[in-house]
């Protein structure tokens, strides 16, 4: 019977917590965007004319096929992160794409139509150098892979290894490139820096070394960037010091030395300090490359040259030109060159490769985004038109990782913002009111109200009411107008102008900061990018902190966000202040930060323009206030003695607390030192500032109240042991009061190690660690209670809480690894909390906090049942219906952001990683929203019916009474 | 005075006896709020199960009492510090950690509590002191006048050493045990001794309700008429 009760209790609680998306809700309030990252290789499928495939391999170890008409993904394969999944080379022939992965670890062949793996071969160890397709008698049959000390040849249809040969003298010679011109030989080129070049010839059939020679080249340091093979096996190199080109026929036996051609004889000169680049093209791997090639002499100067009969002749000089690329369609090879047109636009033109003549009517105008970066890669897709002329489309990649696909005469076919594949941090900001709402606000908000008399105020009120009426009528008219149109033709285009707050504040502006230094403003409802801003000169190792200083609530002051960009190495920071709704840079003068910034602190103190004050603490513990108006400084002086902050120095294991002085200097008031020999601090987290706790305590089974220890200054410090031995390793959790430095609780999770993910909220901390003894992930929850009585019922002061809280803790097994952890957040904190767990599978699990409750009893009692406590079970359940993103998995999920909406039941969730997913969660179901299928007609007709029935029966009763009285 | 029972043998500086060692506890209270630490007492760590630490401290002098009251009047801070020490015996030679651990309490609350404070030393797993905290009981500052002579002479201090607690791991064994017990219970009496009514009460009740519903539908509604 007890067992039945237990099961009943569990199922009841599950019933309570269960929430899943119904089929008709899919995509209604959630969206997902998939990204690929910075493109490393891009190849157009030129196999057939109608093909729309564009194959890309990226820095994020993603191999994907894009639809070149729409920019959508056909398919995508996400490999392991880090060097293990790094894509070294991408080769394409016919329907197949050959990819070398993981520094030459694997060779894979993909079927490009559906993205299926055809075969995979594990290669011998050795660092990858180069790969090439090898053709014999006009047929491409093999792929050759060059490693540091070996070369191997693989069959393209099965992946089987034909032969593998060690390279001669591989300790001294750096073999770097591979070349085959379809004549039955494979050339491997190596270099001994500043000495000579080594050329080894292999026979394709059996890998026999046919010939080996070394050629003097004292000026050469690397083959890869400065050399190319042109024409029928001519090695061509360029050197900027001697200002010369060097040629060498690979196969000739008599020429034992490179022939030097001074650039001067061609009237050319390499700009000093620039490494010239040679670009040649080999349209068919079974045939030798073309004799035409590009030579880049400076960042904006390319020249098309031709090698003919041992001589080099310029075909066309492109000065200025940013980018140049070859493309082949059928038998015809063309060159596309991008040249600057004016300050905001570039023109791309097509030239025939063999003559250098310009094709008529082939100009594409590329408008550069004023808020974007410069173009840095050009990919050309050439095709033959019906009249046998060559048409083309181009894909331009810019510094800010935007992919733009253009066609003539400059129409942007699609655009992808690949910077969003690496979101670092984000915030959500409320949208502003509409103009009319703002008008109404403005009426009361300004000081003008005091100056005006009674009559103008009345008039003002009337006029604003009239404006509201007008807006409402216009809205009705629009509704009526839209209703008549078929549903599909009503476009839901979102523009920045019509953007306004909705009734329940469910639509917000998502601010996303990406690692490349590009900021985005995205509409949370549709995922439309409303503005973007590329910040130039961002170091690749920068860390960002986004701070909302003024929200939209202070009309007519625009909202204001501040981004702190900090160089990780030097610690030097800079501030970028902008309007989060429009993305415009603010004109406010920003304080210079000459010293490394250690800590930032957003105070609830506001200046006269309603901007919260941001304090920046530098390495000399001096404080800079932003904004630093007189008003702010005055307020800071008044409240200085109650402004405390903490600093963490994980290298010394030191946590220290400071207090602000009136002159904006600081004084050290407490210090806690955790010896780094034993454990190191890995993370410190406070509570979120915008968090509300509705309930001060928990009602127990016996109707008494257990009060929560709600210390807003509490910090959770997570440490990991330096000893990695599974028996001795541990994870430490220390709860410290950030004002007094008092250690409130200190616990050690033995036989555990990181990575630790944790959430600190209300009166609880939840953390996840790896149990190294049982080899599993475990959840642990700590809850702090003051006890049955509150020490001070009105306010909480860290300086006046002498009694330590009661700490309860319980642990559970979690049957999956996790990537990230976050808790839901709602407007008033009435709704029960859920934990959002990002799993490596890309699912987001919404786990009720009910399951993570240290008061879950071992043995069920009357009181625990009264309290709705689930009996303790060591294993945490994972139920598929708790996945809030059903099949919309988020690859490589790195972070989850939660924000409250205007509805208490609803919490907005954004998960980001390689993809971005936005949704809403309802931890306690939609208790404040009427259901979609709510029967308004029935309810209102019943109401009206009852109303009339009472009226009629009342009348009848009166008549009857009257009649009876007469009787 | 409840310690967590550290087997401490020696520490930083002054070895007093064979089985224990002692470190100074310093305090500072200045009107200009620039810390100048002076000796308040000596912390003596002893081996043994209980009473891991004792505090022997001096009385406050006349001058100190006045300063403390002045500091309290301007809402200054009363700071204390202890040197970083390891309570572990074998670590003593290798870890002569330099530096201090400091903390503070508002001087007014110390005055108003008549110098009754609670000092806690927190150690890490290896027995090294990582933090010190001080609270006064009561902890509030209400602006109550204090008779200096009697109340501000002697500290009434409770001192303790707190080591980190071991966090619980998932308790699988008791859970399985409980499950097994329940299974056993079930196994002992597979057919529980339930009466016929206990087993099928819902069927009977359902049937009764059904019968009543059908019979009431047949009888004509006549009761309401009498009242109108």
């Amino acid at each position: 019977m007890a067992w039945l009760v237990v099961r009943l209790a569990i199922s009841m609680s599950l019933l309570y917590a269960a929430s899943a998306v119904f089929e008709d809700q899919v995509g209604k309030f959630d969206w997902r965007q998939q990204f690929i990252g910075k493109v490393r290789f891009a190849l157009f499928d030129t196999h057939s004319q109608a093909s729309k495939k564009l194959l890309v391999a990226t820095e994020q170890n993603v191999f994907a096929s894009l639809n070149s008409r729409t920019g959508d993904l056909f398919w995508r394969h996400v490999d392991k992160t880090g060097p293990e999944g790094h894509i070294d080379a991408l080769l394409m022939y016919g329907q197949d794409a050959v990819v070398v992965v993981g520094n030459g670890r694997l060779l894979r062949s993909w079927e490009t139509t559906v993205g299926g793996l055809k075969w995979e071969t594990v290669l011998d160890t050795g660092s990858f150098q180069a790969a090439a397709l090898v053709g014999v008698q006009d047929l491409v049959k093999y792929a050759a892979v060059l490693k540091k000390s070996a070369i191997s040849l693989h069959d393209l249809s099965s992946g089987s290894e034909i032969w593998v040969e060690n390279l001669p003298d591989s300790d001294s010679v750096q073999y770097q490139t591979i070349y085959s011109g379809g004549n039955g030989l494979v050339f491997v080129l190596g270099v001994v820096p500043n000495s000579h070049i080594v050329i080894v010839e292999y026979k394709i059939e059996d890998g026999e070394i046919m010939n080996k020679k070394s050629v003097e080249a004292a000026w050469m340091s690397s083959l890869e960037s400065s050399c190319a093979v042109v024409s029928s096996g001519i090695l061509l190199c360029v050197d900027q010091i001697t200002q010369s080109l060097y040629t060498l026929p690979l196969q000739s036996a008599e020429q034992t030395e490179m022939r030097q051609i001074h650039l001067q004889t061609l009237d050319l000169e390499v700009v000093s300090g620039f490494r010239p680049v040679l670009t040649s093209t080999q349209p068919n791997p079974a045939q030798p490359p073309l004799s035409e090639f590009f030579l880049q002499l400076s960042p904006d100067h390319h020249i098309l040259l031709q090698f003919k009969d041992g001589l080099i002749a310029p075909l066309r000089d492109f000065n200025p030109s940013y980018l140049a690329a070859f493309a082949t369609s059928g038998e015809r090879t063309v060159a596309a060159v991008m040249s600057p047109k004016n300050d905001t636009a570039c023109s791309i033109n097509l030239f025939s490769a063999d003559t250098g003549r310009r094709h008529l009517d082939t100009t594409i105008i590329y408008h550069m985004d004023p808020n974007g970066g410069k173009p840095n890669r050009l990919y050309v897709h050439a095709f033959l038109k019906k009249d046998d002329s060559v048409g083309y489309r181009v894909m331009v990649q810019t510094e800010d990782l935007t992919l733009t696909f253009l066609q003539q005469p400059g129409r942007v076919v699609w655009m992808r913002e690949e910077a969003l594949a690496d979101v670092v941090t984000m915030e959500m900001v409320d949208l502003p009111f509409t103009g009319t709402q703002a008008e109404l606000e403005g009426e009361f908000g300004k000081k003008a109200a005091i100056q005006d008399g009674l009559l103008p105020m009345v008039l003002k009120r009337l006029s604003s009411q009239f404006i509201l009426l007008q807006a409402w009528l216009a809205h009705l008219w629009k509704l009526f107008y839209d209703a008549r149109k078929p549903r599909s033709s009503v476009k839901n285009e979102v523009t920045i102008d019509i953007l306004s707050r909705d009734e329940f504040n469910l639509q917000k502006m998502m601010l996303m900061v990406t690692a490349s230094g590009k900021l985005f403003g995205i509409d949370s409802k549709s995922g439309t990018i409303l503005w973007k801003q590329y910040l130039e000169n961002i170091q690749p190792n920068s860390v960002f902190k986004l701070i909302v200083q003024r929200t939209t609530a202070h009309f007519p002051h625009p909202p204001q966000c501040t981004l702190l960009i900090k160089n990780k190495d030097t610690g030097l920071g800079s501030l970028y202040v902008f309007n989060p709704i429009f993305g415009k840079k603010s004109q406010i003068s920003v304080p210079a930060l000459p010293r490394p910034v250690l800590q930032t602190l957003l105070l609830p103190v506001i200046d006269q323009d309603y901007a919260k004050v941001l304090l920046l603490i530098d390495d000399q513990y001096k404080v800079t206030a932003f904004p630093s108006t007189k008003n702010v400084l005055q307020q800071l002086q008044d409240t200085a003695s109650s402004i405390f902050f903490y600093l963490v120095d994980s290298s010394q294991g030191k946590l220290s607390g400071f207090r602000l002085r009136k002159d904006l200097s600081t004084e050290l008031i407490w210090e806690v030192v955790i010896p780094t020999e034993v454990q190191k601090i890995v993370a410190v987290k406070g509570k979120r500032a915008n968090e509300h706790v509705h309930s001060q305590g928990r009602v127990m089974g016996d109707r008494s109240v257990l009060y929560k220890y709600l210390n807003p200054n509490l910090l959770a410090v997570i440490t990991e042991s330096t000893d990695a031995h599974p028996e001795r390793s541990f994870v430490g959790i220390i709860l410290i009061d950030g004002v007094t430095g008092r250690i409130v609780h200190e616990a050690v999770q033995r036989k555990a190690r990181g990575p630790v993910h944790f959430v600190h909220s209300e009166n609880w901390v939840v953390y996840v660690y790896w149990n190294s003894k049982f080899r599993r992930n475990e959840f642990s929850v700590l809850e702090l209670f003051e006890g049955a009585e509150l020490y001070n019922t009105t306010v909480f002061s860290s300086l006046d809480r002498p009694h330590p809280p009661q700490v309860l803790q319980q642990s559970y097994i979690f049957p999956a690894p996790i990537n990230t952890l976050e808790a839901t957040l709602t407007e008033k904190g009435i709704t029960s909390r859920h934990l959002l767990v990002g799993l490596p599978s890309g699912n987001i699990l919404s786990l009720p906090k009910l399951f993570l409750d240290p008061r879950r009893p071992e043995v069920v009692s009357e009181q625990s049942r009264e309290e709705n406590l689930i009996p303790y079970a060591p294993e945490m359940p994972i139920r598929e219906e708790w996945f809030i993103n059903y099949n919309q998995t988020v690859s490589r999920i790195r972070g989850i952001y939660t924000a409250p909406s205007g509805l208490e039941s609803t919490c907005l969730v954004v998960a980001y990683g390689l993809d971005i997913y936005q949704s809403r969660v309802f931890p306690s179901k939609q208790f404040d929203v009427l259901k979609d299928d709510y029967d308004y007609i029935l309810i209102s007709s019943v109401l009206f019916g009852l109303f009339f029935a009472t009226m009629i029966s009342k009348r009848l009763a009166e008549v009857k009474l009257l009649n009876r009285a007469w009787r | 005075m409840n310690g967590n029972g550290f087997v401490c043998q020696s520490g930083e500086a002054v070895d007093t006896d064979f089985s224990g060692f002692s470190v100074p506890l310093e305090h500072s209270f200045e009107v200009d709020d620039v810390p100048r630490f002076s000796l308040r007492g000596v912390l003596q760590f002893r081996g043994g199960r209980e009473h891991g630490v004792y505090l022997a401290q001096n009385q406050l002098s006349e001058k100190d009492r006045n300063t403390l009251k002045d500091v309290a009047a301007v809402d200054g801070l009363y700071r204390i510090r202890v040197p970083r020490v390891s309570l572990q015996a074998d670590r003593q030679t290798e870890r002569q950690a330099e530096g201090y651990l400091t903390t503070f309490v508002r001087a007014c609350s110390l005055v108003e509590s008549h110098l009754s404070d609670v000092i806690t030393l927190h150690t890490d797993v290896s027995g090294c002191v990582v933090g010190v905290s001080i609270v006064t009981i009561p902890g509030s500052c209400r602006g109550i006048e204090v008779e200096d002579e009697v109340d501000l002479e002697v500290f009434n201090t409770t001192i303790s050493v707190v080591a980190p607690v071991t966090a619980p791991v998932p308790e699988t064994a008791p859970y399985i045990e409980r499950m097994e017990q329940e299974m056993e219970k079930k196994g002992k009496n597979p057919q529980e001794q339930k009466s016929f009514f206990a087993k099928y009460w819902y069927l009977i009740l359902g049937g009764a309700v059904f019968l009543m519903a059908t019979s009431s539908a047949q009888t004509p509604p006549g009761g309401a008429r009498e009242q109108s």
Side-chain angles (χ1 to χ4, degrees), chain A residues 1-3 6-7 644 659 661 667-675 677-679 730 739-750 767 769 771 776 778 780 791 797 799-803 809-813 857-859 871-874 960 964, chain B residues 32-35 75-77 79 84 91 95 100-106 109 122-126 128-141 162-172 174-175 178-179 182-183 185-186 192 194 228:
Chain A
M1 195 66 192
W3 175 227
V6 170
R7 278 174 59 174
F644 298 85
R659 185 164 81 155
R661 282 210 190 119
E667 57 175 334
L668 180 78
I669 49 171
W670 59 264
E671 223 172 349
V672 167
V673 186
I674 297 159
E677 295 87 0
V678 183
Q679 52 192 335
F730 65 88
V739 170
T740 61
R742 181 179 180 198
I743 296 178
V744 170
H745 184 67
E746 198 185 354
V748 183
Q749 196 81 48
R750 293 192 189 273
Y767 60 95
Y769 58 91
N771 186 325
R776 64 192 181 197
E778 290 178 3
S780 196
Y791 178 79
S797 166
L799 297 169
D800 180 16
R801 272 294 134 140
H803 304 294
Q809 188 170 13
Q810 216 169 49
S811 300
Y812 316 89
I813 301 162
E858 290 268 326
V859 183
Y872 180 77
K960 201 169 183 178
R964 193 181 282 175
Chain B
D32 60 356
D33 221 15
V34 179
D75 196 13
L77 302 184
R79 301 152 191 266
R84 289 178 59 195
R91 298 287 177 87
R95 193 183 304 156
Y100 291 89
L101 305 166
T102 52
T103 189
F104 71 97
V105 72
R106 281 199 289 176
S109 66
H122 296 268
T123 66
D124 69 353
V125 271
S126 65
C128 184
V129 179
V130 296
V132 58
S133 71
I134 176 170
V135 287
T136 59
I137 294 176
S140 56
C141 278
V162 174
V165 295
T166 303
V169 291
E171 290 166 47
T172 39
Y175 181 74
R178 210 175 72 222
M179 291 290 114
E182 260 148 29
M183 291 296 278
K185 234 191 247 172
K186 260 191 189 169
E192 271 187 71
K194 273 185 185 172
S228 64

Side-chain angles (χ1 to χ4, degrees), chain B residues 64-104:
Chain B
D64 284 350
R65 285 201 293 272
N66 288 332
T67 323
L68 188 61
K69 283 182 89 175
D70 292 345
V71 174
V74 297
D75 196 13
L77 302 184
Y78 172 82
R79 301 152 191 266
I80 58 164
R81 72 173 187 189
V82 290
R84 289 178 59 195
V85 286
S86 172
L87 305 186
Q88 209 79 347
D90 52 331
R91 298 287 177 87
Q92 177 251 334
T93 43
E94 67 197 61
R95 193 183 304 156
Q96 287 283 340
E98 55 208 73
Y100 291 89
L101 305 166
T102 52
T103 189
F104 71 97

Side-chain angles (χ1 to χ4, degrees), chain A residues 439-672:
Chain A
E439 177 85 13
L440 210 62
E441 286 274 305
E443 187 190 342
F444 303 109
K446 287 297 271 182
K447 296 164 204 144
I450 310 154
Q451 292 157 9
D452 291 353
L454 189 67
L455 196 66
M457 281 291 285
V458 172
L459 287 177
K460 215 180 198 179
R461 171 31 61 108
L462 284 177
S463 75
S464 55
Q465 292 286 16
F466 182 70
I467 291 168
L468 275 184
L469 183 74
Q470 227 176 357
W472 185 64
L473 285 176
H475 174 71
L476 279 187
W477 172 247
K478 192 171 173 289
L479 272 185
F480 176 68
Y481 196 75
D482 282 350
R484 293 193 314 166
K485 279 200 265 182
R487 212 186 173 90
S488 56
S489 72
V490 181
K491 270 193 179 169
N492 288 325
E493 267 193 22
V494 186
T495 57
I496 216 154
D497 307 314
I498 60 155
L499 211 62
S500 69
R501 197 182 299 185
D502 60 337
E503 222 173 331
F504 297 121
N505 202 3
L506 289 165
Q507 188 177 6
K508 293 199 180 196
M509 177 67 90
M510 288 161 53
L511 301 179
M512 295 196 133
V513 183
T514 63
S516 61
K518 196 168 186 183
L519 308 182
F520 290 90
I522 300 173
D523 168 38
S524 76
K525 197 174 184 183
S526 61
T528 319
I529 295 170
L530 295 172
W531 58 262
K532 49 203 172 187
Q533 178 72 49
Y534 178 59
L535 308 177
E536 279 172 65
N537 307 324
I538 298 285
Q539 303 299 318
N541 60 349
S542 297
V543 280
F544 300 91
K545 186 162 184 181
L546 187 60
I547 301 137
V548 182
Q549 277 197 292
R550 183 166 54 218
T551 61
T552 19
H554 304 286
F555 186 82
H557 299 289
Q560 181 182 323
C561 278
T562 302
L563 181 70
L564 173 70
I565 307 149
K566 195 173 135 182
N567 190 318
K568 216 174 190 172
D569 296 333
T570 61
L572 288 173
S574 61
L575 294 175
Y576 177 80
V577 186
F578 62 100
N579 179 334
I581 304 299
F582 300 104
K584 290 202 186 73
K585 190 176 177 186
S586 173
Q587 299 302 318
I588 294 172
S589 65
V590 173
L593 302 171
R595 302 212 60 84
V597 178
L598 294 182
Q599 173 76 291
T600 57
L601 192 64
L602 188 69
L603 297 180
V605 175
I606 51 171
D607 70 349
Q608 69 270 41
D609 292 338
Y610 305 100
K612 282 183 185 164
V613 176
L614 180 71
L615 295 187
L616 301 145
I617 294 108
D618 65 22
D619 64 343
Q620 289 181 335
Y621 312 115
K622 288 273 188 322
V623 173
T624 314
F626 171 70
S628 54
T629 55
K630 219 175 217 173
N631 178 309
V632 170
L633 294 178
Q634 183 60 44
Q635 285 191 60
L636 282 180
Q637 274 191 12
D638 296 345
T639 52
S641 63
S642 61
I643 296 174
F644 298 85
F645 61 92
Y646 69 94
L647 295 178
V648 183
D649 183 352
S650 57
S651 64
Q652 291 177 41
K654 195 189 276 181
L655 289 144
S656 40
F658 292 82
R659 185 164 81 155
L660 196 67
R661 282 210 190 119
K662 286 200 191 321
D663 58 345
L664 291 192
S665 63
T666 57
E667 57 175 334
L668 180 78
I669 49 171
W670 59 264
E671 223 172 349
V672 167

Side-chain angles (χ1 to χ4, degrees), chain B residues 6-23 45-47 84-96 127:
Chain B
F6 268 93
V7 187
C8 327
Q9 296 215 326
S10 56
E12 205 223 6
V14 252
D15 275 283
T16 47
D17 65 52
F18 178 70
S19 65
F21 67 99
S22 55
V23 291
F45 297 97
R46 292 255 170 91
R84 289 178 59 195
V85 286
S86 172
L87 305 186
Q88 209 79 347
D90 52 331
R91 298 287 177 87
Q92 177 251 334
T93 43
E94 67 197 61
R95 193 183 304 156
Q96 287 283 340

Side-chain angles (χ1 to χ4, degrees), chain A residues 45-99:
Chain A
D45 182 10
T46 50
H47 185 63
S48 71
Q49 287 294 321
S51 174
K52 297 184 281 189
K53 283 193 295 270
L54 163 61
L55 291 180
V56 285
T58 70
E59 302 276 359
Q60 301 259 18
N61 305 350
V62 174
F63 179 48
S65 171
L66 298 177
N67 183 338
S68 65
R69 303 282 195 279
T70 61
D72 297 335
L73 287 170
F74 278 129
W75 47 261
R76 183 181 74 167
H77 292 290
V78 181
D79 214 322
K80 287 174 188 155
T81 48
E84 237 184 306
H86 186 255
I87 298 173
D88 302 314
L90 169 64
L91 308 166
M92 191 171 170
Y93 189 73
Q95 284 291 309
D96 299 341
V98 178
V99 173

